[in-house]
């Protein structure tokens, strides 16, 4: 596709359930980032993938959060045993290289935990 | 540690007035600084970067290493500038963003 694609656009889940959020980066981009956007907190870095290197997981808020990137392309962010405080917009971005000037963002997945 | 501070959550200005969105950073090395913008119902997108020293949509930003600042400025605000603005820093880790400033331009 022409840009970063995320699915689903919206997800409502019950507290305690697991959710999976998907990100399709721009073809050929080796760097992929996940951020969480919530009111008053701005953009919170979660995890970063660069090629075949070990991911930078330093931003994951708890062990309920995990992410993987298969084949250097599609990435899935998994949140286990969701809590209400997990409600936010989850943004994915990609760039050609880790130190590339511009990161291109997807439209986000709005997660609501009820 | 890398840190970006945007002290204003909301900034309201009248159309035609000057705009300055403040950004301060903390990083011990040589940073790369960016401004990203998110218009209503649109994706977050790059507005400008300090290394290119360019003016985009009338906006400019100068990196001041002495004051560790990268304030975004525009001499005459327009209604279409209303959006959420994020300052970002890349040091030795991926992009770190501030909490953002919502700019509201009043007609």
């Amino acid at each position: 596709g022409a840009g970063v694609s995320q699915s689903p656009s919206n997800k409502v889940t019950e507290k305690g359930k697991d959710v999976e959020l998907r990100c399709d980066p721009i073809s050929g981009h080796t760097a992929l980032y996940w951020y969480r956007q919530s009111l008053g907190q701005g953009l919170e870095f979660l995890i970063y993938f660069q090629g075949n290197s070990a991911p930078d997981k330093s931003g994951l808020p708890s062990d309920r959060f995990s992410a993987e990137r298969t084949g250097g392309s599609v990435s899935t962010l998994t949140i286990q045993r969701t809590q209400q405080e997990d409600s936010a917009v989850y943004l994915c971005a990609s760039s050609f290289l880790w130190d590339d000037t511009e990161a291109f963002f997807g439209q986000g997945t709005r997660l609501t935990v009820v | 540690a890398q840190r970006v501070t945007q002290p204003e959550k909301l900034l309201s200005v009248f159309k035609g007035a000057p705009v300055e969105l403040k950004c301060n950073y903390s990083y011990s090395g040589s940073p790369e600084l960016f401004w990203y913008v998110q218009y209503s119902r649109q994706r977050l997108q790059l507005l400008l970067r300090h290394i290119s020293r360019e003016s985009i949509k009338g906006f400019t930003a100068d990196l001041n290493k002495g004051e560790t600042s990268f304030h975004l400025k525009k001499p005459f605000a327009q209604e279409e500038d209303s959006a959420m603005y994020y300052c970002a820093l890349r040091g030795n880790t991926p992009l770190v963003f501030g909490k953002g400033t919502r700019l509201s331009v009043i007609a």
Side-chain angles (χ1 to χ4, degrees):
Chain A
V4 178
S5 178
Q6 292 185 246
S7 59
S9 298
N10 285 282
K11 176 72 177 179
V12 180
T13 189
E14 292 181 352
K15 178 182 173 181
K17 300 281 189 182
D18 297 352
V19 294
E20 285 188 352
L21 311 180
R22 177 187 168 104
C23 172
D24 282 276
I26 292 173
S27 178
H29 280 192
T30 60
L32 186 147
Y33 317 75
W34 282 99
Y35 291 89
R36 180 166 66 178
Q37 186 180 36
S38 50
L39 281 175
Q41 298 301 315
L43 280 160
E44 179 187 2
F45 166 72
L46 298 177
I47 189 169
Y48 162 74
F49 296 90
Q50 170 53 51
N52 296 321
S53 303
D56 178 347
K57 304 179 181 180
S58 60
L60 294 178
S62 77
D63 58 8
R64 296 186 295 105
F65 288 72
S66 63
E68 62 178 22
R69 188 178 185 191
T70 54
S73 181
V74 172
S75 177
T76 302
L77 177 68
T78 301
I79 308 173
Q80 296 178 310
R81 305 181 302 281
T82 52
Q83 304 294 313
Q84 288 186 330
E85 59 263 29
D86 299 334
S87 296
V89 175
Y90 289 82
L91 291 174
C92 176
S94 71
S95 63
F96 183 59
L97 298 170
W98 88 269
D99 59 351
D100 199 10
T101 296
E102 183 170 2
F104 293 85
F105 281 81
Q107 82 281 14
T109 293
R110 180 175 297 279
L111 175 66
T112 304
V113 182
V114 297
Chain B
Q2 301 174 198
R3 184 174 299 168
V4 176
T5 302
Q6 293 180 250
E8 303 140 328
K9 287 186 178 180
L10 173 65
L11 182 64
S12 295
V13 300
F14 286 102
K15 177 182 174 181
V19 174
E20 182 177 64
L21 300 171
K22 291 185 168 52
C23 171
N24 288 89
Y25 67 90
S26 174
Y27 181 62
S28 57
S30 293
E32 291 182 67
L33 275 298
F34 308 85
W35 277 98
Y36 278 77
V37 61
Q38 189 169 28
Y39 300 102
S40 180
R41 297 188 181 87
Q42 294 189 26
R43 303 180 182 207
L44 192 65
Q45 59 187 284
L46 178 68
L47 179 62
L48 54 78
R49 53 206 137 179
H50 91 271
I51 57 172
S52 57
R53 303 181 65 83
E54 56 197 345
S55 173
I56 302 293
K57 299 184 179 181
F59 284 98
T60 59
D62 291 320
L63 177 60
N64 186 322
K65 291 187 178 181
E67 296 182 356
T68 59
S69 68
F70 188 58
H71 303 326
L72 183 67
K73 300 177 183 179
K74 184 170 182 176
F76 308 103
Q78 299 175 326
E79 289 180 74
E80 54 265 33
D81 296 329
S82 295
M84 193 75 181
Y85 291 80
Y86 293 94
C87 183
L89 178 154
R90 178 164 56 220
N92 56 1
T93 57
L95 279 174
V96 172
F97 287 83
K99 293 189 176 183
T101 297
R102 181 167 296 283
L103 175 64
S104 176
V105 181
I106 306 164

